[in-house]
Amino acid sequence: MRFRLPQKSGPERDAELLEQYRTEKDLRVLGRLYARYMDLVYGLCLKYLKNEEKASDAVMEIFEVLVQKALQHEIREFKPWLYVLAKNHCLMLLRKSGKLQEQTFDPAVMYSLSPEHLSEDSDAETREAQLKRLEACIERLPDEQRHCIRLFYLENLSYKTIAGQEKLDLGSVRSYIQNGRRNLRNCMES
Amino acid sequence: MKTPKEGNDLLRRWLEGSANRFEENRLDEAASRDPFLAEALEGYRSLASKDHEETLHVLNKRLGRRSRPSISWSTGWRVAAALAVLVVVAWAVWRVSDPFGQSDSLAQDTAPLTKTQPAPQRQLPSSSPEEKKRPTRYCIQSEKSQAGETGACPHSIRGSGENPRLALRV
């Protein structure tokens, strides 16, 4: 079980915590607020910095920036504001290291491959043909990818359950499924 | 309509590995409406084989330590200065009150040395029979004494200035 900083839940809590921090300047309050979004900030930093250590350091640097800026700026909605702050910080780090390139975001990459997403508008015959093709593509996958894809998509098991069942670590299962999904997509589009 | 909070919860379940394909679909749908979540998910998926849970656990600890109130430098210096003053005052009070009555112990220690003291007998090879019969004399010799006087007092206690206790020469 992961350690989590104690936090209250509630729709208006972000604004309350922010106001409390601005009044009392208590870092514990800001820490509780930041902890709610640290998963998102770390993932964002991973995307841009592509390195766990650099991303971890960036998460803490962003908190230091937040300590100052939360007092200086009027913040209406914390989450979108933090998103911009974190993204700008990562881009600034990339600019400093001379590694800034145009980042492209392909929404299709985010979209899971599943039978529900196969040409939903098409008729039954086309859909049947696509399913057959999908099955053929699955058969062409490397063993580990094929096995994990089947367990995840056909038996509806979670990553953790597959990891336990197959005696694999969670990262490997996630990696097999992700790579298998990409290979399937390429196979289906070819 | 899915709320941003649900997106965060789904991400949490996905990171823990508890998400099944239906939840992952919902997560992707939530990400399509939330650019912060979308970019974070893209980041996690770009390093899919890594143990993100462990890293996030460490980050939570780091944040906890950073958020903990600590004594600032200025406060620390104030405390140190107050302690130093306290020590000096305590020492001064102890000296004035003199609980053990030892303020003039040095003078008391030196007092016996101002008198001629019997010393252990020592055989001098060059001593004549008359000298052997003569009792050994001790005297206090200060640095101010003349060189000639030293010869007259073979067993002497040499002192520095007014304190003869500091050197003993026989």
Side-chain angles (χ1 to χ4, degrees):
Chain A
M1 188 65 189
R2 202 182 126 207
F3 167 77
R4 302 281 288 173
L5 289 174
Q7 53 186 253
K8 296 174 185 176
S9 59
E12 75 289 355
R13 297 295 189 206
D14 283 4
E16 283 180 2
L17 287 175
L18 200 54
E19 189 53 39
Q20 191 183 345
Y21 170 67
R22 290 165 70 96
T23 310
E24 299 171 7
K25 296 182 179 57
D26 185 345
L27 279 186
R28 286 172 299 183
V29 174
L30 192 65
R32 283 212 304 274
L33 179 58
Y34 190 62
R36 291 179 179 182
Y37 299 103
M38 207 158 63
D39 294 353
L40 291 173
V41 175
Y42 178 64
L44 180 82
C45 293
L46 273 182
K47 180 196 166 183
Y48 287 98
L49 305 176
K50 303 187 190 312
N51 176 290
E52 287 176 291
E53 198 176 328
K54 286 179 185 171
S56 295
D57 289 343
V59 169
M60 296 311 296
E61 288 161 13
I62 290 164
F63 180 70
E64 296 302 329
V65 176
L66 183 63
V67 168
Q68 298 300 323
K69 293 206 170 179
L71 295 173
Q72 297 163 353
H73 296 264
E74 194 67 38
I75 303 165
R76 288 182 184 173
E77 289 217 34
F78 182 70
K79 188 181 169 185
W81 184 84
L82 178 64
Y83 170 49
V84 174
L85 178 77
K87 188 168 178 170
N88 285 344
H89 186 82
C90 292
L91 291 174
M92 186 264 294
L93 290 176
L94 286 177
R95 221 173 280 126
K96 270 187 185 174
S97 63
K99 289 179 183 170
L100 182 62
Q101 296 168 351
E102 192 61 34
Q103 299 287 329
T104 56
F105 171 58
D106 178 11
V109 174
M110 312 302 298
Y111 214 48
S112 295
L113 185 84
S114 74
E116 293 91 323
H117 297 142
L118 290 173
S119 304
E120 287 170 359
D121 297 332
S122 60
D123 56 39
E125 196 175 331
T126 313
R127 191 172 166 79
E128 184 63 30
Q130 281 184 329
L131 282 171
K132 278 186 180 172
R133 186 167 179 176
L134 177 62
E135 191 59 37
C137 287
I138 289 174
E139 287 304 315
R140 276 189 238 161
L141 290 173
D143 288 346
E144 298 88 355
Q145 291 180 16
R146 186 177 61 245
H147 195 54
C148 288
I149 285 278
R150 281 190 183 283
L151 292 174
F152 189 71
Y153 284 108
L154 303 181
E155 298 190 23
N156 300 329
L157 300 182
S158 70
Y159 290 98
K160 206 185 257 180
T161 309
I162 297 170
Q165 191 173 305
E166 301 302 310
K167 296 190 171 36
L168 295 167
D169 63 85
L170 193 59
S172 300
V173 173
R174 203 173 270 145
S175 187
Y176 287 143
I177 291 173
Q178 189 173 312
N179 293 337
R181 198 157 49 204
R182 189 183 55 242
N183 290 335
L184 280 179
R185 189 174 293 114
N186 292 340
C187 176
M188 294 290 284
E189 288 169 0
S190 64
Chain B
M1 179 71 186
K2 293 174 181 67
T3 62
K5 189 173 183 304
E6 190 191 12
N8 292 0
D9 291 344
L10 286 168
L11 176 63
R12 179 100 300 281
R13 282 185 59 74
W14 185 82
L15 286 168
E16 287 169 357
S18 309
N20 59 24
R21 75 178 176 103
F22 301 111
E23 287 171 312
E24 181 155 353
N25 286 343
R26 278 165 52 203
L27 176 64
D28 285 331
E29 284 171 21
S32 69
R33 291 187 300 273
D34 180 350
F36 199 176
L37 178 60
E39 292 207 64
L41 198 50
E42 195 182 343
Y44 285 120
R45 281 174 168 161
S46 69
L47 293 168
S49 61
K50 303 289 183 180
D51 186 357
H52 302 304
E53 274 289 282
E54 177 60 26
T55 310
L56 286 167
H57 177 72
V58 173
L59 271 173
N60 262 292
K61 279 188 173 174
R62 282 176 73 179
L63 180 64
R65 280 197 300 271
R66 176 64 186 91
S67 307
R68 201 178 300 148
S70 59
I71 296 175
S72 66
W73 275 108
S74 57
T75 310
W77 281 115
R78 276 182 213 149
V79 170
L83 280 175
V85 168
L86 197 65
V87 167
V88 169
V89 168
W91 180 80
V93 168
W94 181 77
R95 288 293 294 170
V96 169
S97 65
D98 194 12
F100 304 111
Q102 291 180 336
S103 59
D104 57 349
S105 59
L106 191 64
Q108 287 173 357
D109 288 348
T110 57
L113 290 176
T114 56
K115 298 172 184 172
T116 302
Q117 298 175 3
Q121 194 74 28
R122 184 178 172 187
Q123 192 71 37
L124 295 176
S126 60
S127 299
S128 62
E130 291 77 16
E131 283 173 334
K132 284 180 183 172
K133 288 176 188 170
R134 207 184 306 153
T136 307
R137 280 193 311 128
Y138 289 92
C139 60
I140 306 296
Q141 180 191 11
S142 82
E143 285 181 346
K144 292 173 186 173
S145 304
Q146 296 298 319
E149 294 171 17
T150 310
C153 183
H155 308 286
S156 65
I157 299 170
R158 170 164 293 198
S160 172
E162 298 302 317
N163 188 356
R165 183 172 72 126
L166 298 179
L168 177 68
R169 192 177 70 181
V170 177

